[in-house]
Amino acid sequence: MIRGYAWNRPFEVSIEFYGIMLGFGVVPTKFTYPFALKACSSLNDIARGEELHGHVLRRGFEADVYVATALVDLYAKCGELGRAENLFCRMQCRDIVAWNAMIAGFSVHGFYDDMVRLVVDMQMAGISPNSSTIVTVLPAVAQTRVLSHGKAGVGSVRVFVRLKWGVSEYW
């Protein structure tokens, strides 16, 4: 139920079911938290997200890549980019979803230089951008402030797009 409402709305119901679950004495697992945190981030409910983060810490799940990514996404979407980046940097294992969550946070909040740096860092770490990365980066590239980066730092994204999908240059 938590997962279903976290994906399909109303998000509040997902969080209510989390509370009901706790009320019945059911102990959340590492599979519960990503969906409850997703509901918090969808509602931009930083207070409830911080409360869940406390539960995550007490249960020892912060090192789980899915839970950590959900926390990064929560803080990034809620504008707490410093906290998001701190968690992201502490992650021992980062998959493409974790990278995209942090890249999207920088992009949405207008931190384009940080976004470009992270895209480059991701590729240097051996992870290729996927379609979600491209969808996140393209609107930022369209902004006047990053057009100069579009030729340099994000150039590797352009190459990726051309190689992966056979698409000609966008910028």
Side-chain angles (χ1 to χ4, degrees), residues 80-151:
E80 296 283 339
L81 295 172
R83 291 172 82 178
E85 189 171 26
N86 183 293
L87 282 165
F88 178 79
C89 289
R90 290 190 344 241
M91 290 178 73
Q92 294 175 358
C93 176
R94 296 182 200 127
D95 62 8
I96 186 66
V97 179
W99 284 95
N100 283 341
M102 196 68 241
I103 290 166
F106 284 138
S107 180
V108 166
H109 294 289
F111 291 89
Y112 303 128
D113 290 337
D114 291 317
M115 179 204 69
V116 169
R117 173 187 51 81
L118 211 55
V119 170
V120 171
D121 288 351
M122 177 180 72
Q123 292 176 92
M124 290 178 68
I127 298 178
S128 297
N130 64 10
S131 58
S132 296
T133 314
I134 304 303
V135 168
T136 299
V137 170
L138 284 178
V141 171
Q143 298 296 319
T144 306
R145 288 179 35 189
V146 292
L147 286 178
S148 62
H149 294 294
K151 302 286 188 223

Side-chain angles (χ1 to χ4, degrees), residues 69-81:
T69 299
L71 287 165
V72 167
D73 186 61
L74 166 77
Y75 289 122
K77 283 182 179 170
C78 291
E80 296 283 339
L81 295 172

